[in-house]
Amino acid sequence: MRVAHLSDVHLGYRAYSRTNEHGINQREADVMRAFRAALRAVLQAAPDLVLLTGDLFHSVRPSNHSLITAYRYLLDLQTQRRGAPLVIIAGNHETPRTVESGCILALLTHLPGVQVVYDQITQIELPALDASLLCIPARGVGELEQRIIEPNPRFRWNLLLLHGLLEGVTPFALERPIDRQKIVREEWDYIALGDWHLYTQVAPNALYPGATEFTSTNIWEEAGKPKGWILYETESRTHEFHQVPTRPVYDLMPIDAGELTAAELNDAIESRANALEGFEGAIVRQRIYNLLPEMRGQIDGELIRELKTRALHYHLDLRPPQLGFRAGRGTPPPDDAESEARLTLVDEWRLFARNYPLPADLDREQFIELGARYLETRSGEVPNGA
Ligand SMILES: [Mn+2]
């Protein structure tokens, strides 16, 4: 059986102020374009089964535009697949805090061949494929401890779908990681995972395809990594990763301003940007470490405005000496040999807030970005003007 596995599409994600010719936030449009590209490639691959493992929508109440787009794209896919099975589980982003609020994904059950699980751990049987799918949506993760998770021996193929972070998958510590031993087992023909935005093979039969665009809280950690979907073959337990074109994200080499004059600093900013092929329309971050407060005002405003116009988003990340690391020529502070890896206050905030329990209808990304903006303002960020 051939399975196409997509995850974390985040329709309705918005960022920055730029809009396209239809007045739609450019990043929102990018996310939709990536989804459409992925679905076209999926259709061409003609899989027996399509899986969407959570966070199809970025929020509990997506905009009409996101809803209409998702409905239209999936209706088109399912019409062309003649209603072949498509199974969707809910992620944390589209799961409301209370069961009574319902879940917008229920709308999609009216499409031909589509089944949706957004509440409890649920088994879906697909007799035509001789397959059983045990589905664990975001809300079902809490049930895991009291449940025995096992395949259904009446079916040839047994798949496990889960939206959640397994222990050991993220570089940062998780508050409540999911027990890997409980999930990652040989007895499953495929374990389709969602929630982690980077393509990751946990085991030959357990994979995160990652997101289809850059929609994480800290996209800089993902710069240069591919986005796409997985085509998996249950017979051989092998897979192919299919990349989807996205808007490019670049995290430029940091500049150590410690021993630079204002002119040298401005030259460095300009040459780093100009050396980047594909700077136009990209999402770019330039970090500047060891920037003394008196140098901040000497950054060429004209140059920065020009860079902000050429890129989709140019983020100048200014860090004063006490917060940044001391690269190369600077003297490292004592007992800080690993200072290159040291996080800024804003990065630490983002990591902390990523896992901090919040009310489900509070938009986590907005909450995190608001906090980050406050911190950045304090540490000398040049305001974006938007
Ligand atoms: Mn997600």
Side-chain angles (χ1 to χ4, degrees):
M1 182 171 67
R2 296 167 82 236
V3 183
H5 176 196
L6 293 88
S7 200
D8 296 85
V9 177
H10 284 260
L11 292 173
Y13 166 89
R14 286 177 196 169
Y16 323 130
S17 54
R18 206 74 71 83
T19 54
N20 70 6
E21 67 275 21
H22 307 295
I24 294 174
N25 178 278
Q26 184 60 61
R27 289 298 292 148
E28 187 176 5
D30 291 347
V31 165
M32 285 175 186
R33 193 180 49 184
F35 184 45
R36 192 171 52 180
L39 292 185
R40 280 184 179 156
V42 165
L43 188 63
Q44 275 216 318
D48 302 299
L49 170 65
V50 178
L51 306 176
L52 264 162
T53 50
D55 289 354
L56 173 60
F57 294 108
H58 186 63
S59 66
V60 171
R61 289 177 192 80
S63 67
N64 291 346
H65 182 64
S66 303
L67 273 176
I68 292 165
T69 305
Y71 200 87
R72 193 157 52 88
Y73 289 179
L74 290 174
L75 176 61
D76 193 35
L77 175 77
Q78 288 306 91
T79 307
Q80 300 205 54
R81 294 181 69 228
R82 298 198 179 87
L86 163 59
V87 175
I88 305 174
I89 64 170
N92 51 309
H93 274 262
E94 60 224 338
T95 301
R97 185 167 28 155
T98 58
V99 180
E100 297 77 55
S101 306
C103 178
I104 189 60
L105 292 178
L107 176 73
L108 303 175
T109 57
H110 300 288
L111 293 169
V114 174
Q115 296 195 62
V116 176
V117 175
Y118 52 84
D119 209 350
Q120 299 156 336
I121 298 180
T122 306
Q123 192 206 185
I124 289 182
E125 299 183 355
L126 300 171
L129 295 175
D130 201 0
S132 167
L133 279 60
L134 190 61
C135 300
I136 311 173
R139 185 175 275 144
V141 169
E143 282 177 69
L144 262 174
E145 275 177 37
Q146 297 89 261
R147 287 278 300 241
I148 295 168
I149 298 299
E150 59 187 6
N152 184 337
R154 290 192 292 115
F155 292 86
R156 179 170 183 209
W157 304 119
N158 272 274
L159 277 64
L160 181 61
L161 282 66
L162 166 71
H163 187 89
L165 298 174
L166 294 179
E167 60 178 323
V169 164
T170 66
F172 46 89
L174 297 167
E175 198 156 321
R176 271 173 307 224
I178 298 169
D179 181 4
R180 205 183 172 103
Q181 255 72 49
K182 184 147 192 170
I183 301 296
V184 185
R185 304 179 72 93
E186 276 291 300
E187 61 208 32
W188 297 103
D189 294 293
Y190 185 45
I191 303 158
L193 302 165
D195 197 14
W196 182 234
H197 282 203
L198 291 175
Y199 161 52
T200 304
Q201 175 170 320
V202 177
N205 66 334
L207 295 149
Y208 286 96
T212 45
E213 244 284 2
F214 293 89
T215 55
S216 298
T217 308
N218 190 349
I219 59 168
W220 311 115
E221 288 170 1
E222 301 183 354
K225 309 263 172 64
K227 297 290 172 198
W229 58 280
I230 282 168
L231 186 62
Y232 184 86
E233 169 61 65
T234 52
E235 197 94 43
S236 57
R237 295 199 174 191
T238 55
H239 76 279
E240 292 164 9
F241 178 75
H242 289 261
Q243 203 170 336
V244 167
T246 64
R247 184 157 302 268
V249 175
Y250 301 107
D251 196 12
L252 297 179
M253 276 265 293
I255 298 168
D256 182 357
E259 292 174 14
L260 300 183
T261 65
E264 286 169 337
L265 176 59
N266 286 314
D267 279 351
I269 293 171
E270 189 171 15
S271 63
R272 287 244 200 321
N274 288 338
L276 178 66
E277 210 181 309
F279 181 91
E280 267 63 30
I283 298 167
V284 185
R285 173 170 79 164
Q286 175 69 69
R287 282 167 294 171
I288 300 177
Y289 290 108
N290 292 320
L291 187 74
L292 294 168
E294 56 269 32
M295 282 278 278
R296 219 175 287 146
Q298 298 192 54
I299 292 176
D300 184 348
E302 197 69 39
L303 169 65
I304 302 305
R305 268 190 295 282
E306 186 217 313
L307 296 178
K308 281 181 189 284
T309 310
R310 284 168 49 202
L312 176 79
H313 180 72
Y314 181 77
H315 176 60
L316 196 58
D317 185 346
L318 306 180
R319 306 184 187 192
Q322 68 272 23
L323 283 175
F325 78 107
R326 295 183 172 269
R329 294 165 295 167
T331 318
D335 77 288
D336 196 18
E338 307 273 16
S339 52
E340 272 200 40
R342 206 164 106 197
L343 295 171
T344 64
L345 199 56
V346 173
D347 288 341
E348 282 194 24
W349 157 251
R350 287 200 164 106
L351 291 181
F352 167 78
R354 168 93 172 80
N355 293 302
Y356 191 77
L358 294 178
D361 42 18
L362 185 66
D363 188 314
R364 184 178 294 272
E365 312 297 325
Q366 277 182 17
F367 176 69
I368 292 172
E369 284 316 310
L370 186 65
R373 275 210 298 279
Y374 285 140
L375 289 170
E376 280 170 349
T377 312
R378 288 173 58 96
S379 63
E381 161 74 343
V382 169
N384 255 339

